Amino acid sequence: YALQGSRWRVKNLTYKISKYPKRLKRNDVDAEIARAFAVWSEDTDLTFTRKTSGPVHIEIKFVESEHGDGDPFDGQGGTLAHAFFPVFGGDAHFDDAELWTIGSPRGTNLFQVAAHEFGHSLGLSHSDQSSALMAPFYRGFEPVFKLDEDDKAAIQSLYGRKTNQYTPTNAYPPSTHRPSYTPPKVPLDDSICKDSKIDTLFNSAHGETFAFKGDKYYKLTTDSVEEGYPQLISKGWPGLPGNIDAAFTYKNGKTYFFKGTQYWRYQGSQMDGAYPKEISEGFTGIPDHLDAAMVWGGNGKIYFFKGSKFWRFDPAKRPPVKASYPKPISNWEGVPNNLDAALKYTNGYTYFFKGDKYYRFHDARFAVDTATPPFPRPTAHWWFGCKNTPSSTAVGDNQSNDEPFEPEMSERTGSGAGSYQLTSNS
Amino acid sequence: AQMAPVSTTTQAEMYLSQFGYLPASARNPANSGLQDKHTWVSAIEEFQSFAGLNITGELDEETLKLMSLPRCGVRDRVGTGDSRAKR
C-alpha cells in the first residue's frame, strides 16, 4: 500500500451527498455510501456520520465532464471517479455518465468504487497489490466484498487499530472511560530485565511479536512477556542459529532472518527451502553483518540498517536497491546509528531499539515522536514488563497509558481544534 | 459516449501523464515529440511494474489492455507531477 502523506486529525468524520446520481434512488445511494464508509470503520475507530446540510469533512457529488475542479470526467468507461486526499479536503466526485448500479453485475458497482474513493479521502494512495481495494483498476462486480489485508494495514497505519473500548468523540473522553491500567507481569526468567539489549524483534505473519536475544527468544504480550518464555530459538525455529542480527516478516507471510553473511527464510516455524543462503545472492546490494531490518509502514518496502547507513530494498524493482543508497540514518530524524533492532509494531508505529532503550518513530512527520515520557525510553519496562528499571517507576506512578501497553489510547493525532488527543495528564 | 480504449501511442502518452508516470506536459499531444526515449520507456516500465505486468518497456498488447480498463482518476504516482517539487 501507499500513503499520500496526509490524514484527518479526528476520527469522527462527517459527509454529505450534495449531488445525487440521476439513475438511482436517493435512499439506495445513501445506503450504499454508508456501506462504503463502513468498510473503513470495521478495523479502525473511524466513524462516519451523514449530514444533509452545513459544513462536512467529505462532500460527495455525482457530476459529469467539467465539474469545477479542473479534472473533467471522460464519459462512460475510462475514469470512473476521483477523490481528494485529506490535505486537499477529502471530497469525492463520481462520473455520472457511468451506469452506477447496486448489487448487479451490470454497469459499475457504486459500493466498490465509493469504498475505493473514500480510501483516498482518508489518505490512502493507490496500491500496487492487485487484490487490494486501493488498486486503481475496476475489477468488475464482486458479490462478496472483503477488505484486503493490504488495505487494512494501510488504514490502520494512519488511524490505528479498532479499540472497541469507547466511541471516540471530538472532545476529550472523561477519565472514567479510560481502560484500567494493569501492572505488567514480570517475566519468570528476568535476565532480559537485567540486560534488555536485544538482537532483533519482529512480527510473525499472525501478528505475534518475538524478541531474540542470544540463543533464546521471547514472545511478547501487549504488556510484557508471555508465560513460559524465554525458549530456545532452535526449538521455535528448527535449524536457525542464535545471535541473529536482524529479522522481518514480509507481506508474503515469510520471515527472513539475517546473521553474518547469511540469511534464512521461514514460513511460520518451518524453514522454507534450503537455507542458509548468502545475503549477497538473495539480497543484492545489501551488506553483510546487518544491525537491523524492517518493513516500513510508510511504503511497505524493506529497510536495512548498518552502522550509520541504511538501504531500501524493493524486490519488485531491478535493481532492488537504487544507486542512491546507502543513505545516512540521520535522514530518520532522531534515530541513532548502530541500531540493534527495528520493528513496525502491530499498532502501526515504527520502533527502533538500541542498547537498553527504544525510540518510537512518527511515520508521517518522519521524526522520532515527541511524547511524555520522552523517547528514548527503557525497553525493559515498556516492552518486557520489567519493574524497577531506570525511569520506569515514574512512568508507573503516573499510570501513563502510553503504548506499547495501550497503543490506541496514546495515539497523538494532532493538537488542532477538535482533535482527538490523550496525554498522561488528560 | 463510451470512452475509447487506449490503443495509440498518443493515447498511452496521455494516460501515463494523467496518472503520474510522465510529466503533465505530455498531455498536450503537440509536445509529444519532445519526449526522449529513456523517459518514455521508463514511464512504461514504471506503469508495468505498478500494475504487475511483465516489465518490457514496450507498449505491448497487455499494457494497452490494462490501460483501457475503467479505473480511478487519482494518480498512481502521487508527487511525481510537476505541481510538486522533489525535496
Side-chain angles (χ1 to χ4, degrees):
Chain A
Y1 65 84
L3 309 177
Q4 177 266 337
S6 66
R7 66 170 176 168
W8 297 100
R9 290 181 170 214
V10 292
K11 293 186 181 178
N12 301 77
L13 298 167
T14 55
Y15 67 91
K16 176 171 72 182
I17 306 171
S18 54
K19 195 165 184 304
Y20 281 80
K22 56 192 175 200
R23 296 186 190 93
L24 291 172
K25 290 179 188 163
R26 284 187 171 218
N27 286 349
D28 292 343
V29 174
D30 289 344
E32 287 303 284
I33 294 295
R35 275 185 67 217
F37 275 119
V39 162
W40 301 109
S41 298
E42 280 177 20
D43 302 293
T44 65
D45 283 339
L46 288 168
T47 68
F48 302 94
T49 306
R50 186 169 76 92
K51 288 176 75 177
T52 52
S53 61
V56 289
H57 294 104
I58 298 166
E59 189 178 344
I60 298 158
K61 288 196 278 196
F62 290 79
V63 286
E64 283 188 61
S65 56
E66 179 55 64
H67 53 277
D69 63 11
D71 199 359
F73 284 130
D74 52 10
Q76 203 173 11
T79 299
L80 305 174
H82 57 224
F84 295 86
F85 297 114
V87 69
F88 302 120
D91 292 354
H93 300 162
F94 297 82
D95 186 352
D96 207 19
E98 308 296 339
L99 180 62
W100 296 110
T101 54
I102 296 169
S104 161
R106 286 184 65 238
T108 307
N109 184 261
L110 175 58
F111 162 74
Q112 287 169 222
V113 175
H116 173 102
E117 295 308 325
F118 298 153
H120 292 312
S121 301
L122 294 169
L124 308 188
S125 285
H126 283 151
S127 171
D128 62 2
Q129 301 296 301
S130 58
S131 59
L133 173 64
M134 292 314 294
F137 306 103
Y138 179 65
R139 290 194 288 253
F141 174 57
E142 292 173 334
V144 180
F145 177 83
K146 190 174 180 295
L147 192 63
D148 195 83
E149 288 300 320
D150 183 72
D151 303 303
K152 211 180 277 188
I155 197 70
Q156 288 182 338
S157 74
L158 288 179
Y159 299 100
R161 303 176 99 182
K162 196 172 188 69
T163 63
N164 271 334
Q165 299 194 5
Y166 53 80
T167 305
T169 67
N170 285 352
Y172 295 121
S175 58
T176 50
H177 286 190
R178 294 170 67 190
S180 60
Y181 177 84
T182 313
K185 289 182 216 143
V186 183
L188 287 175
D189 174 349
D190 68 348
S191 58
I192 193 111
C193 295
K194 290 170 186 151
D195 175 13
S196 60
K197 181 180 165 72
I198 44 155
D199 294 337
T200 190
L201 265 167
F202 64 95
N203 293 317
S204 73
H206 303 297
E208 304 151 315
T209 306
F210 295 101
F212 277 25
K213 184 177 174 67
D215 60 355
K216 291 178 184 160
Y217 77 99
Y218 300 76
K219 185 178 178 188
L220 305 190
T221 63
T222 51
D223 59 7
S224 63
V225 174
E226 194 162 296
E227 273 185 47
Y229 290 86
Q231 293 186 9
L232 288 172
I233 290 172
S234 56
K235 191 179 161 196
W237 287 267
L240 190 66
N243 299 305
I244 291 291
D245 292 335
F248 64 84
T249 299
Y250 196 50
K251 53 192 174 187
N252 57 8
K254 297 177 196 289
T255 305
Y256 297 78
F257 298 95
F258 300 81
K259 180 181 179 178
T261 62
Q262 297 175 314
Y263 77 99
W264 290 255
R265 190 176 75 190
Y266 278 74
Q267 178 84 52
S269 59
Q270 299 295 314
M271 201 182 285
D272 192 34
Y275 288 90
K277 291 181 180 171
E278 293 298 310
I279 293 175
S280 56
E281 290 169 18
F283 289 85
T284 312
I286 299 301
D288 297 334
H289 301 284
L290 290 161
D291 289 341
M294 66 156 179
V295 178
W296 187 44
N299 57 12
K301 300 196 192 308
I302 305 162
Y303 286 78
F304 292 93
F305 300 83
K306 180 179 178 177
S308 60
K309 296 188 172 71
F310 75 96
W311 290 254
R312 192 180 80 171
F313 188 91
D314 185 349
K317 295 274 164 65
R318 290 290 172 270
V321 179
K322 280 189 179 175
S324 52
Y325 289 88
K327 292 182 179 178
I329 289 180
S330 56
N331 283 5
W332 300 70
E333 196 180 316
V335 175
N337 296 335
N338 303 309
L339 291 164
D340 290 329
L343 167 79
K344 187 201 164 195
Y345 192 50
T346 48
N347 60 4
Y349 276 109
T350 305
Y351 293 87
F352 294 95
F353 298 78
K354 181 179 178 176
D356 59 358
K357 295 191 171 57
Y358 77 97
Y359 302 73
R360 187 177 75 200
F361 194 77
H362 194 296
D363 288 346
R365 285 196 214 118
F366 216 78
V368 167
D369 231 345
T370 50
T372 307
F375 295 99
R377 295 180 186 174
T379 310
H381 173 75
W382 292 91
W383 287 83
F384 305 132
C386 306
K387 290 175 182 169
N388 303 323
T389 56
S391 79
S392 67
T393 310
V395 171
D397 287 347
N398 288 340
Q399 294 208 347
S400 166
N401 274 327
D402 217 334
E403 41 70 54
F405 306 134
E406 303 288 354
E408 283 74 28
M409 287 293 290
S410 67
E411 274 284 316
R412 277 157 172 78
T413 51
S415 54
S419 69
Y420 167 55
Q421 185 179 38
L422 277 172
T423 68
S424 55
N425 299 322
S426 64
Chain B
Q2 179 94 30
M3 165 131 177
V6 177
S7 57
T8 66
T9 307
T10 306
Q11 285 170 328
E13 200 167 358
M14 291 177 74
Y15 181 100
L16 292 170
S17 163
Q18 185 178 354
F19 297 111
Y21 299 93
L22 280 174
S25 58
R27 289 179 82 168
N28 178 0
N31 290 340
S32 59
L34 298 175
Q35 207 69 252
D36 73 88
K37 192 179 176 187
H38 175 72
T39 308
W40 173 242
V41 171
S42 294
I44 295 172
E45 284 177 344
E46 207 181 345
F47 173 74
Q48 290 170 331
S49 166
F50 185 81
L53 301 174
N54 288 330
I55 302 170
T56 62
E58 287 173 17
L59 212 49
D60 49 33
E61 200 176 319
E62 202 183 9
T63 306
L64 288 169
K65 197 174 157 190
L66 202 69
M67 286 179 170
S68 300
L69 285 181
R71 58 162 291 158
C72 170
V74 175
R75 286 170 164 225
D76 298 333
R77 289 282 181 264
V78 176
T80 54
D82 55 1
S83 59
R84 185 170 152 184
K86 198 170 179 179
R87 239 179 230 169

